[in-house]
Amino acid sequence: MKTLSDFRSDTVTRPTDEMRRAMAEAEVGDDVLGDDPTVQKLEIQAASIMGKEAGLFVPSGTMGNSIGVKMWTQELQEVIVEEKCHIYNMESTHMTFISRVTPRPLPSKRGVLDPEMVRSNIRPASVQTPRTSLICLENTHNNWGGAVIPIETFKEIRRIADEYGLKVHLDGARIFNASQASGVPVKEYAKYCDSVMFCLSKGLSSPVGSMLVSDRATIDYARRLRKALGGGMRQAGVLAACGLISLAKMVDRLKEDHARARRLAEAIYDLPGITLDPAEVETNIIIFYFNHPKITIPELLARLKEKGILALGVFGGVRLVAHKDVDDEDVNRAIKAFQEILAS
Ligand SMILES: *Cc1c(COP(=O)(O)O)cnc(C)c1O
Protein backbone atom coordinates (compact mmCIF):
# COMPACT_ATOMS: atom_id res chain seq x y z
CA MET A 1 0.00 0.00 0.00
CA LYS A 2 1.15 3.58 -0.58
CA THR A 3 2.35 5.33 2.57
CA LEU A 4 -0.22 8.11 2.47
CA SER A 5 -3.78 8.37 1.14
CA ASP A 6 -4.02 12.04 0.30
CA PHE A 7 -7.57 13.39 0.61
CA ARG A 8 -6.55 17.04 1.10
CA SER A 9 -7.55 18.20 -2.38
CA ASP A 10 -8.06 17.14 -5.98
CA THR A 11 -5.12 19.43 -6.78
CA VAL A 12 -2.77 16.68 -5.56
CA THR A 13 -3.58 14.51 -8.60
CA ARG A 14 -0.47 13.50 -10.55
CA PRO A 15 -0.37 13.62 -14.35
CA THR A 16 -1.31 10.29 -15.97
CA ASP A 17 1.24 8.21 -17.88
CA GLU A 18 -0.45 9.33 -21.07
CA MET A 19 0.07 12.97 -20.02
CA ARG A 20 3.74 12.37 -19.31
CA ARG A 21 4.16 10.85 -22.77
CA ALA A 22 2.21 13.72 -24.34
CA MET A 23 4.47 16.23 -22.59
CA ALA A 24 7.54 14.53 -24.02
CA GLU A 25 6.13 14.51 -27.52
CA ALA A 26 4.27 17.85 -27.58
CA GLU A 27 4.74 20.10 -30.56
CA VAL A 28 5.69 23.51 -29.17
CA GLY A 29 6.42 27.10 -30.19
CA ASP A 30 6.61 30.40 -28.36
CA ASP A 31 3.13 31.11 -27.09
CA VAL A 32 3.86 34.76 -26.24
CA LEU A 33 4.80 35.21 -29.89
CA GLY A 34 1.60 33.37 -30.75
CA ASP A 35 2.94 30.25 -32.39
CA ASP A 36 2.62 27.34 -29.99
CA PRO A 37 0.31 24.98 -31.88
CA THR A 38 -0.56 22.82 -28.87
CA VAL A 39 -1.62 25.81 -26.76
CA GLN A 40 -3.69 27.07 -29.67
CA LYS A 41 -5.37 23.69 -30.03
CA LEU A 42 -6.21 23.64 -26.33
CA GLU A 43 -7.60 27.18 -26.39
CA ILE A 44 -9.83 26.36 -29.37
CA GLN A 45 -10.94 23.10 -27.76
CA ALA A 46 -11.75 24.76 -24.41
CA ALA A 47 -13.74 27.52 -26.08
CA SER A 48 -15.66 25.03 -28.19
CA ILE A 49 -16.57 22.81 -25.22
CA MET A 50 -17.91 25.89 -23.39
CA GLY A 51 -19.67 27.30 -26.46
CA LYS A 52 -17.56 30.48 -26.45
CA GLU A 53 -15.57 32.19 -29.21
CA ALA A 54 -12.12 32.09 -27.68
CA GLY A 55 -10.02 30.69 -24.86
CA LEU A 56 -6.88 31.60 -22.95
CA PHE A 57 -4.52 29.18 -21.21
CA VAL A 58 -3.46 30.58 -17.84
CA PRO A 59 -1.03 29.24 -15.22
CA SER A 60 -3.63 29.03 -12.44
CA GLY A 61 -7.29 29.35 -11.64
CA THR A 62 -6.46 32.35 -9.51
CA MET A 63 -4.91 34.13 -12.47
CA GLY A 64 -7.92 33.17 -14.62
CA ASN A 65 -10.27 34.71 -12.07
CA SER A 66 -8.01 37.75 -11.54
CA ILE A 67 -8.13 38.44 -15.26
CA GLY A 68 -11.85 37.60 -15.32
CA VAL A 69 -12.59 40.29 -12.74
CA LYS A 70 -10.17 42.80 -14.24
CA MET A 71 -11.51 42.49 -17.79
CA TRP A 72 -15.09 43.32 -16.76
CA THR A 73 -14.41 46.09 -14.22
CA GLN A 74 -12.88 49.50 -13.68
CA GLU A 75 -11.90 51.40 -10.56
CA LEU A 76 -14.81 52.85 -8.53
CA GLN A 77 -16.85 49.74 -9.28
CA GLU A 78 -18.20 46.89 -7.16
CA VAL A 79 -18.55 43.14 -7.70
CA ILE A 80 -21.30 41.00 -6.20
CA VAL A 81 -19.96 37.70 -4.83
CA GLU A 82 -21.24 34.91 -2.61
CA GLU A 83 -19.72 35.36 0.85
CA LYS A 84 -17.85 32.02 1.00
CA CYS A 85 -16.68 32.06 -2.61
CA HIS A 86 -13.11 31.29 -3.62
CA ILE A 87 -12.54 34.57 -5.47
CA TYR A 88 -13.34 36.62 -2.38
CA ASN A 89 -11.79 34.38 0.30
CA MET A 90 -8.98 32.35 -1.16
CA GLU A 91 -7.28 34.32 -3.89
CA SER A 92 -5.22 36.78 -1.83
CA THR A 93 -7.45 39.80 -2.45
CA HIS A 94 -6.81 40.26 -6.17
CA MET A 95 -10.12 42.15 -6.43
CA THR A 96 -8.58 45.00 -4.47
CA PHE A 97 -4.91 44.35 -5.28
CA ILE A 98 -5.24 44.03 -9.05
CA SER A 99 -8.67 45.29 -10.12
CA ARG A 100 -9.06 47.92 -7.38
CA VAL A 101 -12.77 47.19 -7.03
CA THR A 102 -14.77 46.46 -3.89
CA PRO A 103 -16.41 43.09 -3.36
CA ARG A 104 -20.01 42.96 -2.13
CA PRO A 105 -20.35 39.56 -0.43
CA LEU A 106 -23.89 38.16 -0.06
CA PRO A 107 -25.07 35.26 2.10
CA SER A 108 -26.54 32.20 0.38
CA LYS A 109 -28.17 28.85 0.91
CA ARG A 110 -25.29 26.39 0.48
CA GLY A 111 -23.70 28.60 -2.17
CA VAL A 112 -26.92 29.33 -4.05
CA LEU A 113 -27.52 33.08 -4.22
CA ASP A 114 -31.08 34.38 -3.99
CA PRO A 115 -31.59 36.32 -7.25
CA GLU A 116 -33.85 38.84 -5.53
CA MET A 117 -31.16 39.51 -2.94
CA VAL A 118 -28.71 40.05 -5.80
CA ARG A 119 -31.12 42.50 -7.37
CA SER A 120 -31.59 44.45 -4.15
CA ASN A 121 -27.81 44.76 -3.72
CA ILE A 122 -27.20 46.34 -7.11
CA ARG A 123 -26.27 49.94 -6.35
CA PRO A 124 -28.41 52.73 -7.74
CA ALA A 125 -26.22 55.27 -9.57
CA SER A 126 -24.95 57.77 -7.05
CA VAL A 127 -21.94 60.04 -6.64
CA GLN A 128 -21.33 58.51 -3.23
CA THR A 129 -21.27 54.80 -3.99
CA PRO A 130 -19.36 52.37 -6.17
CA ARG A 131 -21.11 51.27 -9.36
CA THR A 132 -22.06 47.59 -9.53
CA SER A 133 -20.60 46.09 -12.70
CA LEU A 134 -20.07 42.35 -12.25
CA ILE A 135 -21.60 39.29 -10.58
CA CYS A 136 -19.35 36.30 -9.86
CA LEU A 137 -20.80 32.80 -9.54
CA GLU A 138 -19.01 29.62 -8.47
CA ASN A 139 -19.96 26.07 -9.54
CA THR A 140 -19.36 23.67 -7.92
CA HIS A 141 -19.02 25.69 -4.74
CA ASN A 142 -15.78 24.70 -3.03
CA ASN A 143 -16.35 26.07 0.49
CA TRP A 144 -19.91 24.76 0.49
CA GLY A 145 -18.60 21.23 0.11
CA GLY A 146 -18.74 20.96 -3.67
CA ALA A 147 -22.39 22.04 -3.86
CA VAL A 148 -23.92 22.14 -7.35
CA ILE A 149 -25.57 25.47 -8.23
CA PRO A 150 -28.85 24.87 -10.12
CA ILE A 151 -29.15 26.01 -13.72
CA GLU A 152 -32.29 27.98 -12.74
CA THR A 153 -30.09 30.25 -10.60
CA PHE A 154 -27.88 30.92 -13.61
CA LYS A 155 -30.92 31.83 -15.71
CA GLU A 156 -32.34 34.20 -13.12
CA ILE A 157 -29.00 35.88 -12.40
CA ARG A 158 -28.50 36.35 -16.16
CA ARG A 159 -31.90 37.98 -16.48
CA ILE A 160 -31.10 40.42 -13.67
CA ALA A 161 -27.60 41.11 -15.05
CA ASP A 162 -29.10 41.98 -18.45
CA GLU A 163 -31.70 44.19 -16.85
CA TYR A 164 -28.98 46.26 -15.13
CA GLY A 165 -26.25 45.96 -17.78
CA LEU A 166 -23.95 43.83 -15.61
CA LYS A 167 -21.53 41.08 -16.62
CA VAL A 168 -21.46 37.58 -15.14
CA HIS A 169 -18.21 35.69 -14.55
CA LEU A 170 -18.27 32.03 -13.56
CA ASP A 171 -15.55 30.58 -11.36
CA GLY A 172 -16.04 27.13 -12.82
CA ALA A 173 -12.91 25.60 -11.29
CA ARG A 174 -14.98 22.39 -10.99
CA ILE A 175 -17.66 23.04 -13.61
CA PHE A 176 -17.16 19.53 -15.02
CA ASN A 177 -17.93 18.08 -11.58
CA ALA A 178 -21.13 20.13 -11.55
CA SER A 179 -22.06 18.88 -14.99
CA GLN A 180 -21.33 15.23 -14.17
CA ALA A 181 -23.46 15.46 -11.04
CA SER A 182 -26.41 17.39 -12.50
CA GLY A 183 -26.45 16.11 -16.07
CA VAL A 184 -26.53 19.74 -17.26
CA PRO A 185 -23.94 20.21 -20.05
CA VAL A 186 -21.10 22.66 -19.23
CA LYS A 187 -22.13 24.68 -22.29
CA GLU A 188 -25.53 25.25 -20.73
CA TYR A 189 -24.03 26.77 -17.59
CA ALA A 190 -21.62 28.82 -19.72
CA LYS A 191 -24.43 30.14 -21.88
CA TYR A 192 -25.65 32.37 -19.04
CA CYS A 193 -22.18 33.74 -18.25
CA ASP A 194 -20.01 36.26 -20.11
CA SER A 195 -16.85 34.43 -19.14
CA VAL A 196 -15.92 31.12 -17.54
CA MET A 197 -12.73 30.03 -15.78
CA PHE A 198 -12.16 26.32 -15.26
CA CYS A 199 -9.24 24.31 -13.86
CA LEU A 200 -7.37 21.55 -15.65
CA SER A 201 -5.18 20.95 -12.62
CA LYS A 202 -7.80 19.61 -10.18
CA GLY A 203 -9.90 16.50 -10.79
CA LEU A 204 -8.91 16.61 -14.45
CA SER A 205 -5.36 15.78 -13.31
CA SER A 206 -3.20 18.10 -15.40
CA PRO A 207 -0.04 19.18 -13.58
CA VAL A 208 -0.62 22.92 -14.18
CA GLY A 209 -3.12 25.19 -15.85
CA SER A 210 -6.57 26.65 -16.14
CA MET A 211 -8.66 28.09 -18.97
CA LEU A 212 -10.51 31.36 -19.35
CA VAL A 213 -13.12 31.50 -22.12
CA SER A 214 -15.26 34.35 -23.44
CA ASP A 215 -15.92 36.33 -26.63
CA ARG A 216 -12.94 36.96 -28.92
CA ALA A 217 -12.43 40.69 -28.23
CA THR A 218 -12.51 40.11 -24.48
CA ILE A 219 -10.02 37.24 -24.70
CA ASP A 220 -7.70 39.46 -26.80
CA TYR A 221 -7.78 41.94 -23.91
CA ALA A 222 -7.39 39.08 -21.39
CA ARG A 223 -4.23 37.99 -23.24
CA ARG A 224 -2.71 41.42 -22.64
CA LEU A 225 -3.74 41.27 -18.99
CA ARG A 226 -2.16 37.82 -18.65
CA LYS A 227 1.13 39.20 -20.02
CA ALA A 228 0.97 42.17 -17.66
CA LEU A 229 0.52 39.80 -14.71
CA GLY A 230 3.53 37.74 -15.76
CA GLY A 231 1.48 34.83 -17.05
CA GLY A 232 2.83 34.75 -20.59
CA MET A 233 4.43 31.33 -21.03
CA ARG A 234 6.77 30.31 -23.85
CA GLN A 235 6.89 26.58 -24.78
CA ALA A 236 3.64 26.09 -22.87
CA GLY A 237 2.62 23.36 -25.31
CA VAL A 238 4.18 20.81 -22.95
CA LEU A 239 1.50 21.76 -20.42
CA ALA A 240 -1.30 22.31 -22.92
CA ALA A 241 -0.72 18.75 -24.16
CA CYS A 242 -1.84 17.54 -20.72
CA GLY A 243 -4.85 19.87 -20.81
CA LEU A 244 -6.02 18.29 -24.06
CA ILE A 245 -5.92 14.87 -22.38
CA SER A 246 -7.79 16.28 -19.37
CA LEU A 247 -10.61 17.40 -21.64
CA ALA A 248 -10.68 14.26 -23.76
CA LYS A 249 -10.15 11.55 -21.13
CA MET A 250 -10.60 12.79 -17.58
CA VAL A 251 -14.09 14.29 -17.54
CA ASP A 252 -16.26 11.16 -17.49
CA ARG A 253 -14.35 9.54 -14.65
CA LEU A 254 -15.23 12.38 -12.23
CA LYS A 255 -18.35 10.34 -11.46
CA GLU A 256 -16.13 7.76 -9.74
CA ASP A 257 -14.81 10.49 -7.44
CA HIS A 258 -18.35 11.55 -6.57
CA ALA A 259 -19.32 7.97 -5.70
CA ARG A 260 -16.24 7.55 -3.49
CA ALA A 261 -16.85 10.83 -1.66
CA ARG A 262 -20.45 9.81 -1.02
CA ARG A 263 -19.44 6.37 0.25
CA LEU A 264 -16.89 7.89 2.62
CA ALA A 265 -19.42 10.47 3.86
CA GLU A 266 -22.04 7.79 4.49
CA ALA A 267 -19.56 5.75 6.52
CA ILE A 268 -18.37 8.55 8.83
CA TYR A 269 -21.20 11.10 9.18
CA ASP A 270 -22.60 9.69 12.43
CA LEU A 271 -19.29 9.22 14.27
CA PRO A 272 -18.91 11.29 17.47
CA GLY A 273 -17.89 14.91 16.82
CA ILE A 274 -18.80 14.93 13.12
CA THR A 275 -21.68 17.04 11.77
CA LEU A 276 -22.33 16.09 8.17
CA ASP A 277 -25.33 15.33 5.98
CA PRO A 278 -24.13 12.73 3.46
CA ALA A 279 -26.98 13.70 1.12
CA GLU A 280 -25.27 17.09 0.77
CA VAL A 281 -22.14 15.47 -0.64
CA GLU A 282 -23.14 16.00 -4.27
CA THR A 283 -19.70 15.87 -5.89
CA ASN A 284 -16.14 15.08 -4.80
CA ILE A 285 -15.77 17.33 -1.74
CA ILE A 286 -16.71 16.50 1.86
CA ILE A 287 -16.64 19.27 4.45
CA PHE A 288 -17.78 18.32 7.94
CA TYR A 289 -17.95 20.40 11.09
CA PHE A 290 -16.06 18.91 13.99
CA ASN A 291 -16.72 19.42 17.67
CA HIS A 292 -15.55 16.65 19.97
CA PRO A 293 -15.25 16.75 23.79
CA LYS A 294 -11.71 15.28 23.78
CA ILE A 295 -10.24 15.79 20.32
CA THR A 296 -9.46 19.11 18.61
CA ILE A 297 -9.33 19.49 14.82
CA PRO A 298 -5.49 19.63 14.74
CA GLU A 299 -5.39 16.49 16.91
CA LEU A 300 -7.83 14.71 14.60
CA LEU A 301 -5.73 15.64 11.58
CA ALA A 302 -2.55 14.45 13.31
CA ARG A 303 -4.10 11.13 14.30
CA LEU A 304 -5.47 10.60 10.80
CA LYS A 305 -1.99 11.26 9.45
CA GLU A 306 -0.49 8.64 11.80
CA LYS A 307 -2.87 6.20 10.11
CA GLY A 308 -1.81 7.33 6.65
CA ILE A 309 -4.75 9.64 5.90
CA LEU A 310 -4.18 13.28 4.89
CA ALA A 311 -7.11 15.68 5.31
CA LEU A 312 -7.31 19.48 5.52
CA GLY A 313 -8.58 21.67 8.35
CA VAL A 314 -11.05 24.36 7.19
CA PHE A 315 -13.49 26.81 8.83
CA GLY A 316 -14.08 24.88 12.06
CA GLY A 317 -14.15 21.59 10.24
CA VAL A 318 -12.33 19.15 8.03
CA ARG A 319 -12.20 18.76 4.28
CA LEU A 320 -11.73 15.51 2.37
CA VAL A 321 -11.68 15.35 -1.42
CA ALA A 322 -11.97 12.31 -3.69
CA HIS A 323 -9.91 12.31 -6.87
CA LYS A 324 -8.11 10.10 -9.38
CA ASP A 325 -5.28 9.18 -7.00
CA VAL A 326 -7.44 7.82 -4.18
CA ASP A 327 -9.17 4.54 -4.96
CA ASP A 328 -11.60 2.25 -3.11
CA GLU A 329 -8.78 0.91 -0.96
CA ASP A 330 -7.88 4.43 0.15
CA VAL A 331 -11.52 5.10 1.02
CA ASN A 332 -11.65 1.88 3.08
CA ARG A 333 -8.47 2.90 4.85
CA ALA A 334 -9.93 6.36 5.64
CA ILE A 335 -13.17 4.85 6.98
CA LYS A 336 -11.21 2.49 9.21
CA ALA A 337 -9.01 5.34 10.49
CA PHE A 338 -12.01 7.53 11.37
CA GLN A 339 -13.69 4.62 13.16
CA GLU A 340 -10.59 3.78 15.17
CA ILE A 341 -10.05 7.40 16.24
CA LEU A 342 -13.65 8.42 16.95
CA ALA A 343 -15.74 5.34 17.70
CA SER A 344 -13.68 4.22 20.70
C1 LIG B 1 -8.89 25.87 -6.90
C2 LIG B 1 -9.88 26.90 -7.16
C3 LIG B 1 -9.58 28.07 -7.90
C4 LIG B 1 -8.22 28.45 -8.42
O1 LIG B 1 -7.22 27.66 -8.11
P1 LIG B 1 -5.67 27.74 -8.40
O2 LIG B 1 -5.14 26.96 -7.26
O3 LIG B 1 -5.25 29.16 -8.42
O4 LIG B 1 -5.46 27.07 -9.71
C5 LIG B 1 -10.60 28.94 -8.13
N1 LIG B 1 -11.83 28.71 -7.70
C6 LIG B 1 -12.16 27.60 -7.01
C7 LIG B 1 -13.57 27.40 -6.61
C8 LIG B 1 -11.19 26.67 -6.72
O5 LIG B 1 -11.53 25.58 -6.03
Side-chain angles (χ1 to χ4, degrees):
M1 206 200 297
K2 52 186 135 175
T3 48
L4 290 171
S5 301
D6 193 346
F7 287 92
R8 288 173 303 169
S9 176
D10 46 9
T11 56
V12 305
T13 44
R14 306 293 163 92
T16 63
D17 293 343
E18 188 183 358
M19 286 176 182
R20 289 182 186 273
R21 281 196 301 277
M23 290 173 87
E25 290 161 13
E27 211 188 315
V28 296
D30 185 324
D31 185 52
V32 175
L33 300 182
D35 58 24
D36 186 300
T38 311
V39 172
Q40 287 170 0
K41 198 170 161 193
L42 175 63
E43 290 179 343
I44 289 167
Q45 185 72 9
S48 144
I49 287 173
M50 292 291 162
K52 298 292 184 199
E53 286 175 5
L56 183 71
F57 186 44
V58 287
S60 69
T62 299
M63 190 183 285
N65 283 332
S66 304
I67 295 170
V69 171
K70 178 66 189 154
M71 70 195 188
W72 298 127
T73 57
Q74 291 170 357
E75 291 177 15
L76 312 189
Q77 294 183 341
E78 185 165 78
V79 179
I80 291 178
V81 295
E82 193 277 335
E83 65 183 1
K84 285 174 115 180
C85 79
H86 200 277
I87 288 182
Y88 175 51
N89 294 284
M90 300 170 86
E91 298 184 3
S92 304
T93 72
H94 65 72
M95 293 188 117
T96 47
F97 178 58
I98 295 171
S99 296
R100 299 164 67 93
V101 292
T102 45
R104 188 160 182 89
L106 302 183
S108 72
K109 281 204 182 106
R110 296 195 68 244
V112 182
L113 287 167
D114 172 2
E116 284 317 308
M117 191 189 289
V118 170
R119 181 198 296 279
S120 62
N121 279 278
I122 295 170
R123 306 260 197 186
S126 152
V127 72
Q128 289 178 304
T129 58
R131 206 62 61 82
T132 311
S133 61
L134 176 66
I135 303 168
C136 291
L137 301 176
E138 181 173 321
N139 199 16
T140 62
H141 200 300
N142 186 343
N143 285 335
W144 282 103
V148 178
I149 309 304
I151 190 71
E152 286 69 32
T153 302
F154 280 76
K155 291 181 188 174
E156 289 174 44
I157 299 275
R158 176 77 265 168
R159 201 175 310 128
I160 291 168
D162 286 344
E163 211 178 299
Y164 291 86
L166 312 181
K167 300 294 183 185
V168 178
H169 171 73
L170 172 60
D171 176 352
R174 295 185 183 79
I175 192 63
F176 289 98
N177 294 82
S179 173
Q180 288 287 310
S182 65
V184 175
V186 290
K187 229 181 231 180
E188 180 70 8
Y189 291 117
K191 188 171 126 186
Y192 301 102
C193 305
D194 298 285
S195 54
V196 181
M197 186 288 293
F198 66 91
C199 293
L200 300 163
S201 59
K202 297 198 165 155
L204 300 184
S205 305
S206 277
V208 173
S210 292
M211 303 304 303
L212 180 66
V213 299
S214 187
D215 66 88
R216 193 169 308 284
T218 302
I219 291 297
D220 287 346
Y221 178 42
R223 199 174 291 282
R224 293 180 56 209
L225 292 171
R226 183 187 67 176
K227 188 71 179 87
L229 294 174
M233 299 177 287
R234 302 295 180 172
Q235 282 73 53
V238 290
L239 298 173
C242 298
L244 285 164
I245 294 169
S246 286
L247 292 177
K249 304 275 180 74
M250 305 305 288
V251 170
D252 287 342
R253 61 154 308 287
L254 294 174
K255 282 201 179 97
E256 298 168 27
D257 301 342
H258 300 177
R260 289 197 176 102
R262 178 64 73 90
R263 185 164 75 84
L264 177 53
E266 281 170 353
I268 64 170
Y269 80 95
D270 57 354
L271 289 169
I274 293 181
T275 304
L276 170 67
D277 179 355
E280 288 184 351
V281 178
E282 299 172 79
T283 57
N284 64 331
I285 301 176
I286 301 171
I287 293 178
F288 64 77
Y289 293 89
F290 189 70
N291 187 4
H292 192 282
K294 294 206 190 82
I295 305 172
T296 64
I297 292 172
E299 281 164 359
L300 175 64
L301 296 175
R303 287 167 75 170
L304 284 168
K305 192 172 176 184
E306 281 166 20
K307 295 177 186 295
I309 306 299
L310 294 184
L312 214 57
V314 287
F315 297 116
V318 172
R319 187 172 94 136
L320 296 149
V321 184
H323 54 78
K324 168 180 79 59
D325 295 339
V326 286
D327 59 15
D328 287 329
E329 215 179 296
D330 295 296
V331 172
N332 292 340
R333 188 187 191 191
I335 293 170
K336 189 157 165 271
F338 272 102
Q339 286 169 345
E340 284 171 3
I341 297 165
L342 295 176
S344 52

